Amino acid sequence: NDPPTLVNPGNYSVNEDTPLTLSGYTITDADSFSRDVTVTVALYADAAHTTLADAGTQGALTITSTTGLSASSGSGTNTVTLTGPLADVLAALNALGFQGAADFNNGPLYLRTTFTDWGHADVPAGNSVSVDNTITIVPVNDAPLLTVPGTQTLAAGSSVAISGISFQDTKDTAQGASDAFYTVTVLAPNAGDTLAATVSGTASSSYNAGTQTLTVSGARTDVIATPANLVYTPQDSNADTTYTL
């Protein structure tokens, strides 16, 4: 039983939350003929290949093609197996998909692919060869969440204090992103309106009358605290109307 060959010379890189096709494999075997061969691909959490990745919190492998295969298993888990004629197994292997768990970027993750040929009398279980590859998961900037208060009423006077504006960016900060600089902008609806806020901490605040825009920048806690005491002064405080900031 001549030994098979399995080659995949490249590693992979993919953005967080983006699907990846694990192409680049070559498998050959001189004496499997049209008999079934088997490829197993396992996804690990460590470079030593001792701990399988958690499919729910880290990532999973997906079988996207089964044409010509006699058996396949494990799609959506950390270990998939493909069995069939060599050409069909190769096609399914190069169409195999990887999907990281939502917001996971604490990689890399590690692949170990094992190819077992058809067993002959001298090696009934077949010969096996393996190749290792790395999947690097590149963090992306997740959108922050903004909270704003409901409808405010200017019952008397010329301005209204608006509290309750806040935001959070926990997806990124939980994964190591800095919370040292954020910017919040508030747009007044009409020329002649004004917006003002008492600056908190080291935040900066400026109002551009030409664009009716209040801009607050700085560290997260200070940027949250500053627009929390926003004051809106419409050009016409006597108008019986609704404005949207």
Side-chain angles (χ1 to χ4, degrees), residues 12-143:
Y12 302 97
S13 180
V14 63
N15 285 344
E16 169 190 338
D17 297 329
T18 302
L20 171 68
T21 298
L22 301 175
S23 59
Y25 287 96
T26 301
I27 59 175
T28 62
D29 185 53
D31 53 6
S32 282
F33 309 112
S34 60
R35 303 296 185 93
D36 282 357
V37 298
T38 297
V39 168
T40 299
V41 185
L43 182 67
Y44 289 87
D46 63 317
H49 302 87
T50 59
T51 304
L52 287 167
D54 187 301
T57 62
Q58 294 177 310
L61 303 171
T62 304
I63 299 170
T64 65
S65 173
T66 59
T67 301
L69 298 183
S70 58
S72 63
S73 63
S75 188
T77 73
N78 54 32
T79 305
V80 301
T81 300
L82 311 169
T83 300
L86 188 147
D88 297 320
V89 168
L90 178 59
L93 179 60
N94 279 316
L96 196 67
F98 164 79
Q99 178 65 65
D103 300 317
F104 176 77
N105 59 27
N106 296 328
L109 297 176
Y110 304 89
L111 293 168
R112 172 159 290 172
T113 304
T114 302
F115 172 34
T116 304
D117 67 5
W118 176 64
H120 291 258
D122 60 332
V123 188
N127 288 315
S128 293
V129 290
S130 295
V131 66
D132 295 335
N133 301 93
T134 300
I135 302 176
T136 298
I137 302 168
V138 181
V140 299
N141 189 354
D142 294 299

Side-chain angles (χ1 to χ4, degrees), residues 171-215:
K171 283 187 178 181
D172 288 327
T173 55
Q175 295 168 349
S178 170
D179 64 354
F181 190 83
Y182 292 86
T183 297
V184 170
T185 58
V186 185
L187 177 65
N190 305 303
D193 294 350
T194 60
L195 292 164
T198 303
V199 173
S200 174
T202 60
S204 64
S205 176
S206 62
Y207 182 69
N208 186 321
T211 60
Q212 301 102 246
T213 303
L214 175 72
T215 303

Side-chain angles (χ1 to χ4, degrees), residues 214-229:
L214 175 72
T215 303
V216 181
S217 299
R220 181 178 59 86
T221 54
D222 295 333
V223 172
I224 289 175
T226 298
N229 49 58

Side-chain angles (χ1 to χ4, degrees), residues 141-183:
N141 189 354
D142 294 299
L145 296 179
L146 177 66
T147 300
V148 297
T151 301
Q152 309 289 301
T153 301
L154 175 56
S158 60
S159 63
V160 58
I162 302 173
S163 61
I165 297 175
S166 184
F167 70 91
Q168 57 97 348
D169 193 31
T170 54
K171 283 187 178 181
D172 288 327
T173 55
Q175 295 168 349
S178 170
D179 64 354
F181 190 83
Y182 292 86
T183 297

